[in-house]
Amino acid sequence: MKRNEMKHSVKRIAAVLAVAFGTGFGTAGAAQAAEIVIVNGNAPGVGFNDPTPAEPVGGNTGKTLGEQRLIAFTYAANLWGAKLESPQPIRIQASFEPLNCTANSATLGSAGTLEVFSDFPGAPKADTWYPTALANKLSGVDQSPDVPDIRARFNSRLGLADDCLPGSPFYLGLDGNHGSATDFVAVLLHEMGHGLGFQSFTDEETGEYLAGVPAIWDHFMTDNRTERKWTQLSEEERVANAVSGDGLSWDGPHVNAAVPDVLGPRGVVTISGPAAGGAAGELAFGEASFGPRITEAGVTGQVLPVVENRATNTGLACAPLTGANAKAVRGNIALVDRGTCSFVIKAANVQAAGAIAMIVADNQPGDPAGMSGDNPDITIPSVRISQAAGDALKAALARRSRTSSGVIAKLGADPSRLAGTDDRNRILMYTPTTFQPGSSVSHYTTAASPNQLMEPSINGDLTHELEPPKDLTLPLLKDLGW
């Protein structure tokens, strides 16, 4: 380390990628492409070395589970390498390990740079942290030859145990035809994105810079209510901005120029009608990755709830609807509760009963997120609203008849605004009002449409694209200096 240079180990590794249902080899590409090298962190017999026999799937010809995992990694590395330029190899130490899991949700993986550097030769900004791989590119020198640039971990138990999203393992094919499984290539692309620089190094819960130095990330993070960058905010102001809901925007020239070509009109969920009462107004929502987008569906109808437990006034729609529930939702918009089964199952059951759309009320406090899943037979739009909004809707529906409620929901498009942007058409960052460690700030908003690779959850409709007109990941890395 030269006298005027600084480096720092990053112990608070990266962003965590999670997914919830119902209730986070070396290869060289073309000329000038970056070389991405995997440093296998697994012991013999496990993870990337797992000898379990495997059948070819989706263009992946590996004969064992470990070999297929390595082939998928190489494929994803090729995709990234072809989009980046660097005179230094990008080394990723990767391993499969048991990560947080339940029967309904799981951490898919986590990744990030192991070190950050400032004031190296070629650094565009002084007194500013850069992740290792980017610092190596900008300086033309490997800043830390004995340390991998990126550390990545992936969930070794996903879909393989009853308490870890059973039935939803990683899909190791290369063609994107993952069905109800989790597309491993998409997860790899996401995690590599974090390691390349799509992450905050500032402590969002205290507002403190890492070792008192801002990161290149902070120069583009903008409080859209005061039009000040994070480098201009106090620690207290950064903390507040990190849980502002929609108050944090990315303000970089490459992303700003690409936003109109990538994002579509924002969706709107509006409640009205003579019986709407306190539920009336525009609702925040998360959209499903299955079925049509609400901006395309343009559905308006009465809201009728599925009620299976009168004591709790809840209905899960995890089984085919019968009797009064089937009669209530027919020709109407079904209100159901989150929990027990996947969102796709709920949508299939209310659709089979004749519902024209589905609204899922959350069963936990916080801002509504999107809904993962895949079923090409779902033809109705679905959205998820907060627990508080769901409670207000249920209160308004308390005096309904069996087939009429007087509460109207409109699921449609607002052509005056792009999805997931502020009033200047800059994309929002993920800042839920309840702080989410590893997810808040280091991802794009879940309100973006179409869904983006760098949202906090992997959505079933993602492609393997990294750049416009499909995705905004590469433009952000270019803003950072790639």
Side-chain angles (χ1 to χ4, degrees):
M1 182 172 62
K2 295 183 179 179
R3 184 165 61 97
N4 294 326
E5 297 176 20
M6 294 176 63
K7 77 173 180 179
H8 199 286
S9 296
V10 181
K11 296 181 179 179
R12 216 168 41 89
I13 189 167
V16 174
L17 175 63
V19 63
F21 291 97
T23 349
F25 310 150
T27 173
Q32 296 186 324
E35 179 186 5
I36 299 180
V37 178
I38 179 174
V39 180
N40 189 337
N42 280 128
V46 298
F48 288 109
N49 305 313
D50 193 318
T52 303
E55 293 294 324
V57 56
N60 191 327
T61 59
K63 295 180 172 58
T64 67
L65 180 57
E67 186 181 4
Q68 287 194 351
R69 288 167 169 172
L70 278 171
I71 288 172
F73 197 107
T74 301
Y75 179 78
N78 277 333
L79 294 177
W80 264 122
K83 302 299 180 184
L84 304 172
E85 295 182 9
S86 178
Q88 296 294 326
I90 300 169
R91 292 168 296 145
I92 304 176
Q93 182 179 349
S95 59
F96 273 81
E97 303 173 11
L99 300 178
N100 291 337
C101 237
T102 70
N104 297 306
S105 65
T107 297
L108 303 179
S110 66
T113 188
L114 283 172
E115 297 179 306
V116 290
F117 296 82
S118 72
D119 300 294
F120 50 85
K125 291 183 179 293
D127 300 317
T128 299
W129 293 126
Y130 290 82
T132 306
L134 181 53
N136 292 348
K137 168 201 163 55
L138 294 171
S139 67
V141 176
D142 192 333
Q143 299 292 317
S144 191
D146 298 326
V147 179
D149 305 327
I150 298 168
R151 182 69 172 97
R153 296 175 173 87
F154 304 99
N155 200 327
S156 60
R157 301 178 67 246
L158 185 77
L160 305 178
D162 290 340
D163 63 345
C164 193
L165 277 182
S168 299
F170 283 124
Y171 174 72
L172 300 178
L174 314 179
D175 58 0
N177 294 323
H178 53 83
S180 62
T182 302
D183 187 359
F184 188 48
V185 170
V187 175
L188 287 162
L189 293 171
H190 178 107
E191 297 302 347
M192 290 178 190
H194 283 310
L196 292 166
F198 203 115
Q199 66 175 123
S200 172
F201 304 124
T202 296
D203 190 326
E204 301 91 355
E205 292 184 277
T206 67
E208 296 176 354
Y209 293 139
L210 179 65
V213 177
I216 185 61
W217 183 267
D218 298 308
H219 290 271
F220 298 97
M221 303 282 279
T222 303
D223 182 334
N224 58 42
R225 296 165 185 176
T226 66
E227 288 304 321
R228 289 186 296 157
K229 301 291 191 289
W230 270 34
T231 52
Q232 300 170 306
L233 300 180
S234 67
E235 292 178 354
E236 293 77 11
E237 289 170 327
R238 287 193 287 270
V239 170
N241 201 216
V243 289
S244 58
D246 59 1
L248 179 60
S249 301
W250 184 267
D251 191 10
H254 291 91
V255 173
N256 290 347
V259 160
D261 296 325
V262 175
L263 301 180
R266 79 178 184 117
V268 180
V269 177
T270 306
I271 303 299
S272 62
E282 185 178 317
L283 303 183
F285 68 94
E287 193 164 5
S289 61
F290 51 87
R293 299 191 178 281
I294 66 171
T295 53
E296 300 165 353
V299 173
T300 300
Q302 289 194 102
V303 180
L304 270 295
V306 173
V307 180
E308 298 161 340
N309 186 327
R310 293 194 177 278
T312 60
N313 195 29
T314 57
L316 297 169
C318 289
L321 304 190
T322 59
N325 282 323
K327 186 175 181 180
V329 305
R330 189 178 303 123
N332 296 312
I333 296 175
L335 175 65
V336 306
D337 291 283
R338 178 187 177 198
T340 304
C341 63
S342 72
F343 298 118
V344 168
I345 290 175
K346 297 175 188 289
N349 286 331
V350 300
Q351 176 178 291
I356 60 174
M358 179 179 75
I359 298 175
V360 178
D362 215 332
N363 58 2
Q364 300 175 18
D367 299 327
M371 296 184 287
S372 297
D374 182 74
N375 185 340
D377 295 327
I378 301 298
T379 59
I380 63 172
S382 300
V383 297
R384 175 175 166 186
I385 62 174
S386 69
Q387 185 180 48
D391 290 343
L393 259 183
K394 290 178 182 180
L397 294 169
R399 297 186 178 182
R400 70 190 181 280
S401 71
R402 291 187 176 183
T403 58
S404 179
S405 68
V407 178
I408 308 299
K410 179 180 180 180
L411 284 61
D414 175 6
S416 69
R417 185 89 160 259
L418 296 177
T421 64
D422 63 18
D423 58 8
R424 297 190 180 189
N425 269 354
R426 297 171 301 194
I427 192 168
L428 300 171
M429 304 308 289
Y430 182 62
T431 54
T433 54
T434 300
F435 184 75
Q436 302 294 321
S439 293
S440 291
V441 177
S442 291
H443 293 91
Y444 282 139
T445 176
T446 58
S449 180
N451 288 313
Q452 296 295 292
L453 175 67
M454 299 309 291
E455 293 184 28
S457 295
I458 289 293
N459 291 291
D461 58 349
L462 289 177
T463 67
H464 297 160
E465 297 291 331
L466 302 169
E467 61 186 331
K470 294 290 187 181
D471 196 76
L472 292 168
T473 307
L474 186 60
L476 186 143
L477 295 185
K478 288 184 176 180
D479 281 339
L480 297 177
W482 278 101

